[in-house]
Amino acid sequence: QVQLVESGGGLVQAGESLNLSCVVSGTISSIREMAWYRQAPGKERELVADITRDSLLTTYTDSVKGRFTISRDNAKNTMYLQMNALQPDDTAVYFCNAEVLRRGTVLYQRLWGQGTQVTVSS
């Protein structure tokens, strides 16, 4: 079984920081694209940031540019999201997403974690 587990969420005040982590575990051959999504109550899930396998290409939604940084450590099968200068509008459940090639297979699968809650108070 391949699992994605997020951690690092919590309750903070506006202007504070959080660092989210996503660990992929299981019988894995490789992980291609990885991304962070978020979903606020009553809204569609949106892409926050994504990152290629070699970490050379990253993208961010406009609302987080300059404040959030996505990174990954392939040796640890882990992705991070450093979130600075958090705002109340950042309040959402943050989900990890990854394209995973399981050991012994030839097809990549897009997998999701269960999410971690980030709440920013004003």
Side-chain angles (χ1 to χ4, degrees), residues 27-85:
T27 53
I28 302 164
S29 289
S30 66
I31 305 172
R32 197 158 57 187
E33 191 94 0
M34 299 186 78
W36 287 100
Y37 287 75
R38 68 185 180 186
Q39 188 167 24
K43 302 191 69 176
E44 295 292 321
R45 189 171 299 185
E46 68 169 338
L47 177 65
V48 178
D50 59 16
I51 185 168
T52 57
R53 177 175 173 78
D54 58 10
S55 296
L56 294 179
L57 180 62
T58 59
T59 62
Y60 300 89
T61 190
D62 286 344
S63 63
V64 308
K65 287 181 178 177
R67 299 188 298 119
F68 291 10
T69 302
I70 188 171
S71 62
R72 63 190 290 174
D73 184 340
N74 291 339
K76 298 180 178 179
N77 290 333
T78 302
M79 177 178 64
Y80 307 93
L81 185 67
Q82 178 64 46
M83 305 185 295
N84 298 326

Side-chain angles (χ1 to χ4, degrees), residues 14 18 21 23 27 34 72 76 85 90 100 108 121:
L18 284 172
S21 298
V23 179
T27 53
M34 299 186 78
R72 63 190 290 174
K76 298 180 178 179
D90 296 318
V100 178
Y108 278 89
S121 65

